[in-house]
Amino acid sequence: RPAAPRIAPAPSLPARALAMAEAVTMQVMVPDGVAPGGNFVVTTPDGQMLQLTCPEGSAPGTAIQFAYIPAAPPAEGGDEVTEHPDDQRRREEASAYAAQKQAELEAAGGAVAA
């Protein structure tokens, strides 16, 4: 039986979250052109891209299993994005500044924005 592939850890997941999450096992085929000890990338169903190392005794077309920690699902209402108050203030200031400059340009006989 081939050795389990080595997985490069996902740097974006905090160690505490990794410790609390349950691993999921997935099976993939070793891609063409990848020899034992060679690396290849797989994408998990939740969109994570993981680099695997082909285990000794495996070859292209060989099924191998690996385990990974699924990404946390978005919080309820996760599709909703809110604007930070500082960003909202800056946007309003920029809009007011642009309106002022447009008025100055029009008063000086410049072009009017369409």
Side-chain angles (χ1 to χ4, degrees):
R1 177 166 195 213
R6 292 191 314 261
I7 301 173
S12 61
L13 296 175
R16 183 175 169 183
L18 289 173
M20 293 173 42
E22 277 194 47
V24 171
T25 300
M26 190 170 155
Q27 183 171 307
V28 295
M29 302 296 262
V30 175
D32 288 337
V34 177
N39 295 327
F40 61 100
V41 176
V42 297
T43 302
T44 63
D46 61 4
Q48 294 183 69
M49 295 178 69
L50 303 175
Q51 180 175 310
L52 303 182
T53 300
C54 181
E56 292 298 321
S58 296
T62 304
I64 61 171
Q65 290 186 343
F66 67 96
Y68 72 98
I69 304 297
E76 195 163 314
D79 291 342
E80 184 180 319
V81 176
T82 58
E83 187 174 39
H84 189 277
D86 289 347
D87 294 333
Q88 184 176 8
R89 180 184 50 78
R90 287 183 185 117
R91 182 179 46 78
E92 290 168 355
E93 288 172 355
S95 181
Y97 180 77
Q100 175 190 353
K101 290 299 180 183
Q102 181 67 37
E104 290 172 8
L105 183 62
E106 289 171 10
V112 177

